[in-house]
Amino acid sequence: MAARSSRTRRPVNYWYHALGVASVIGGLGLWWLASVLNPTTLPGPVDVAARAGELFLDGTLQEHLLASLQRVLLGFVIGSGLAIPLGFLMGWYKPFRAILEPWTQFFRTIPPLALIPLMIVLLGIGEVPKVAVISLAAFLVSIVATFQGVLNVDKTLINAGRVLGASDLVIFRSIVIPASTPFIMVGLRQGLGSAWATVVAAELIAAQLGLGFMMQRAQIYYDLPTIFVGVVIIGLLGLVMDRVLLWADSVLTSWQERR
């Protein structure tokens, strides 16, 4: 057992992590240099960090952050939760594909941000239209990824399962779902990015709380440090959530060979 675990355990790539740290430090250094060269138009990392501390101490940052995070998580869960089973149905059953694919492709050509005014008119200015638009953005990305994952399952594996007497349910559970998982996880990661982009735009139009609202209000007063705080927070939250999905991907697809 110990020998098996030693074979499957991957060595730590210290050079890879060192390059990542160096990239972050280099980016911060370039940002600082640009702020020194343009002190009146571009706040530096120290100024932004100081402003973030001020917003954190008076509780403003936490309120806006939690509001945006709740909207993103709720919309992402609803959209992806609907997209994955429907994507499986589209890929596995041709009648479902014939019914759902035209509508999926139709709405994919419409940016979710273009639907925000319509959602506000139909659903009001509360949380419902914001979550609905976020759900749609995550849904469209995830359903296409899941559908494509099912279509790309090796037909040889499916035929081999049928030759061995496996039912469609067994084939679906043992072959289609595992083989489609890498595509699904890519779709979830892209859907998460779409959710963050959509929530910020929704908060710019109609919101009283949220990072997008905070940035819009700061724009009125030309408060560049606060705008940068919002940008950095969104980027960090998106990065952390993406790392969580990437970890889940590595666990769910541990059978897959990786470079």
Side-chain angles (χ1 to χ4, degrees):
M1 192 71 178
R4 182 180 177 184
S5 62
S6 63
R7 287 197 305 267
T8 57
R9 187 180 301 148
R10 297 176 193 164
V12 178
N13 193 338
Y14 293 104
W15 281 107
Y16 176 83
H17 296 293
L19 285 174
V21 173
S23 175
V24 173
I25 295 175
L28 291 174
L30 290 175
W31 179 12
W32 172 81
L33 180 60
S35 67
V36 171
L37 297 176
N38 302 277
T40 59
T41 58
L42 183 65
V46 176
D47 299 326
V48 173
R51 181 56 178 159
E54 295 173 0
L55 294 173
F56 180 81
L57 291 176
D58 64 19
T60 303
L61 183 60
Q62 295 92 307
E63 291 180 352
H64 293 303
L65 189 152
L66 288 175
S68 295
L69 189 59
Q70 288 175 355
R71 291 167 185 150
V72 167
L73 289 177
L74 184 57
F76 176 69
V77 170
I78 293 174
S80 301
L82 292 174
I84 293 175
L86 290 177
F88 276 128
L89 289 175
M90 285 177 60
W92 192 246
Y93 296 108
K94 289 186 178 180
F96 280 97
R97 188 186 312 171
I99 295 171
L100 296 176
E101 188 175 14
W103 292 104
T104 300
Q105 300 303 329
F106 171 79
F107 280 104
R108 279 188 64 206
T109 61
I110 304 174
L113 302 183
L115 299 176
I116 293 177
L118 178 63
M119 292 289 186
I120 292 175
V121 171
L122 295 177
L123 302 175
I125 59 173
E127 293 299 307
V128 176
K130 300 178 185 61
V131 174
V133 174
I134 296 167
S135 301
L136 179 62
F139 174 84
L140 293 174
V141 176
S142 298
I143 192 172
V144 172
T146 304
F147 167 59
Q148 197 63 41
V150 176
L151 291 183
N152 280 270
V153 176
D154 191 347
K155 299 300 186 294
T156 303
L157 298 176
I158 296 176
N159 293 332
R162 286 174 175 159
V163 168
L164 294 174
S167 64
D168 282 353
L169 180 60
V170 173
I171 292 174
F172 188 78
R173 184 180 66 246
S174 304
I175 297 176
V176 176
I177 292 180
S180 305
T181 300
F183 289 84
I184 295 172
M185 297 308 299
V186 171
L188 290 178
R189 295 176 65 189
Q190 293 177 337
L192 180 62
S194 299
W196 273 111
T198 306
V199 72
V200 171
E203 291 172 348
L204 289 174
I205 295 176
Q208 297 300 318
L209 281 175
L211 295 173
F213 171 76
M214 182 186 75
M215 294 165 65
Q216 181 192 41
R217 189 171 59 179
Q219 176 192 4
I220 298 174
Y221 300 102
Y222 204 70
D223 185 2
L224 288 178
T226 300
I227 297 176
F228 270 82
V229 169
V231 171
V232 172
I233 292 296
I234 291 171
L236 289 177
L237 284 174
L239 178 62
V240 171
M241 295 172 71
D242 181 77
R243 295 299 97 176
V244 172
L245 288 177
L246 192 60
W247 170 81
D249 181 25
S250 66
V251 173
L252 295 174
T253 60
S254 58
W255 49 270
Q256 190 178 34
E257 292 185 3
R258 301 174 185 272
R259 291 191 299 174

